């Protein structure tokens, strides 16, 4: 099977996306006006800890001032990674074809 | 799996720094060896690091109604071993702590341990045992990467449980509470991560199988067999 693995990955991602759509519809239907679903698991864990009365003893030196700026740094992180992966795979592929 | 800044009290944050330090030191020593003796593998090292950058920036929705991200450390662990991967993990975690207020400098030791050390150690162990047992290499890579991802989140739950044992029930109750938040959210993401790493592994075999042979990841006969199967 030349593209067996690609096929499996595609099918799993479609199932994953479909599950998300179905579940999101259910969640949105029961959600109150000011509530927001799909928050980060890291934040949920922090809420559990804060509920016990714990106060973090150190705060981040710098925080992205808005959601937009946060997404800028996340995209930058992904872009740095993607360009490196793409560069070297392209380089190697070109080399094998020339040889 | 990021424990947020300031969310580990003394002495836990120091303990995790102390536990992580020897792994990082040995990883840096191994990196130097690679830099001096196997320079031709450096691009692959960059790819393994870049892979962690990409995957750990993607926050994906999961069945529990919350979002979490894959770790991407499986590839580095399989190809370069857990020690070098711990250094790669450290770089990503510092980036996120400084620019995203995601994770933190005081919790860096604990986060490096869960993402950069515990997960990769498991991935490496599974990969070595699986190839020795003669299981299909892609199945082994899938298992190694997805279980490493899951294990990272189990360790995070354990780290939080040790620092914040529940008043009634102690560490175990608390571990289950954090485990429900992290590990269950992670299961579907771990499956996706395992598949994507298996895919990247296939492409590396397609373009530079010689590097994998030189790094002792696959034997030449295994490479020949795989290339025949996917040709």
């Amino acid at each position: 099977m030349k593209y067996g693995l690609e096929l499996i990955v595609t099918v799993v991602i479609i199932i994953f996306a479909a599950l998300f759509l179905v579940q999101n519809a259910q969640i949105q239907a029961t959600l109150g006006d000011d509530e927001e679903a799909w928050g980060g698991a890291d934040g949920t864990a922090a809420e559990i800890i804060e509920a016990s009365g714990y106060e973090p003893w150190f705060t981040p030196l710098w925080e992205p001032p808005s959601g937009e700026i946060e997404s800028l740094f996340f995209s930058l992180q992904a872009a740095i990674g993607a360009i490196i992966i793409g560069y070297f795979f392209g380089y190697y592929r070109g080399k094998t074809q020339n040889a | 799996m990021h424990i947020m800044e300031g969310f580990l009290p003394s002495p836990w944050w120091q303990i995790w720094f102390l536990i992580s330090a020897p792994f990082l030191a040995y990883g840096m020593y191994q990196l130097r060896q690679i830099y001096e003796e196997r320079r031709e593998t450096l691009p692959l090292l960059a790819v393994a690091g870049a892979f962690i950058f990409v995957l750990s920036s993607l926050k994906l929705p999961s069945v529990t109604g919350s979002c979490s991200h894959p770790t991407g450390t499986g590839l580095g662990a399989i190809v370069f071993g857990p020690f070098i991967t711990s250094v790669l993990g450290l770089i990503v975690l510092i980036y996120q702590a400084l620019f995203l207020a995601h994770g933190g400098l005081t919790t860096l030791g604990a986060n490096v341990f869960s993402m950069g050390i515990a997960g990769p150690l498991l991935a490496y162990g599974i990969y070595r045992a699986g190839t020795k047992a003669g299981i299909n290499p892609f199945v082994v890579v899938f298992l190694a990467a997805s279980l490493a991802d899951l294990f990272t989140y189990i360790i995070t739950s354990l780290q939080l449980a040790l620092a914040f044992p529940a008043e009634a029930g102690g560490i175990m109750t608390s571990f289950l509470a954090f485990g429900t938040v992290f590990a269950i959210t992670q299961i579907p993401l771990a499956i996706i991560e395992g598949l994507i790493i298996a895919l990247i592994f296939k492409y590396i075999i397609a373009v530079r199988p010689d590097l994998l042979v030189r790094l002792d990841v696959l034997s030449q006969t295994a490479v020949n067999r795989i290339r025949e199967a996917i040709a």
Side-chain angles (χ1 to χ4, degrees):
Chain A
M1 274 290 273
K2 195 175 179 189
Y3 293 114
L5 197 55
E6 282 83 352
L7 210 65
I8 297 172
V9 174
T10 315
V11 169
V12 169
I13 289 177
I14 292 172
I15 293 174
F16 184 81
L19 277 177
F20 167 71
L21 286 177
V22 170
Q23 207 187 6
N24 184 44
Q26 285 169 353
I27 289 179
Q28 298 300 341
T30 55
L31 213 58
D33 279 344
D34 324 318
E35 289 173 307
E36 201 185 70
W38 307 106
D42 290 345
T44 318
E47 279 165 27
I48 296 180
I49 296 168
E50 277 178 329
S52 72
Y54 177 81
E55 293 273 334
W57 60 275
F58 196 78
T59 46
L61 300 173
W62 187 81
E63 268 183 84
S66 76
E68 280 72 16
I69 295 173
E70 186 178 359
S71 68
L72 161 73
F73 281 105
F74 267 118
S75 321
L76 199 61
Q77 186 190 333
I80 293 170
I83 204 165
I84 294 174
I85 296 173
Y87 176 81
F88 284 115
F89 270 100
Y91 175 72
Y92 282 149
R93 206 180 146 81
K95 250 183 141 178
T96 28
Q97 279 174 351
N98 272 340
Chain B
M1 41 61 62
H2 296 83
I3 299 178
M4 301 218 285
E5 185 77 285
F7 269 87
L8 273 185
S10 200
W12 290 105
W13 65 272
Q14 297 98 321
I15 289 176
W16 291 113
F17 267 106
L18 284 178
I19 295 176
S20 296
F23 287 90
L24 291 168
Y26 189 62
M28 286 175 195
Y29 167 76
Q30 282 191 326
L31 271 179
R32 234 187 88 159
Q33 274 188 321
I34 285 210
Y35 184 74
E36 282 166 2
E37 293 161 21
R38 293 175 171 171
R39 295 187 69 96
E40 71 281 3
T41 62
L42 287 178
L44 201 54
L45 181 71
V47 168
F51 206 69
I52 304 178
F53 255 72
V54 175
L55 283 203
S56 68
S57 75
L58 301 174
K59 296 201 188 181
L60 303 170
S62 178
V63 286
T64 49
S66 58
C67 286
S68 189
H69 59 88
T71 60
T73 51
L75 183 68
I78 289 166
V79 178
F80 290 98
F83 299 101
I84 287 180
T85 307
S86 71
V87 182
L88 299 177
L90 175 75
I91 297 169
V92 178
L93 288 167
I94 290 178
Y95 175 97
Q96 294 186 324
L98 288 181
F99 298 120
L100 287 155
H102 214 69
L105 296 176
T106 61
T107 51
L108 197 58
N111 290 335
V112 165
F113 185 80
S114 63
M115 180 172 137
I117 297 169
L121 270 178
L122 185 76
Y124 186 75
I126 292 175
Y127 181 77
R128 290 287 148 177
T131 14
K132 213 175 231 173
I135 306 170
N136 180 315
F138 293 112
V139 175
V140 179
V141 169
F142 166 75
L143 285 177
S146 49
L147 291 175
D149 176 309
L150 205 57
F151 191 54
T152 291
Y153 282 78
I154 291 172
I155 292 294
T156 304
S157 309
L158 188 66
Q159 287 171 329
L160 289 174
L162 287 171
F164 301 99
E167 267 170 43
I171 292 170
M172 203 54 212
T173 310
S174 176
F175 175 63
L176 290 176
F178 289 117
T180 318
V181 171
F182 282 124
I184 296 178
T185 306
Q186 205 60 24
I187 292 170
L189 308 190
I191 294 172
I192 291 188
E193 161 156 13
L195 283 171
I196 291 177
I197 291 191
L199 204 56
I200 284 279
F201 195 68
K202 178 183 165 182
Y203 297 148
I204 295 175
I205 293 174
V207 290
R208 284 306 293 270
D210 56 308
L211 293 181
L212 295 179
V213 174
R214 215 164 311 161
L215 287 164
D216 208 22
V217 179
L218 282 173
S219 66
Q220 188 60 51
T221 42
V223 167
N224 293 342
R225 213 174 324 124
I226 295 168
R227 284 178 71 106
E228 249 168 58
I230 58 178

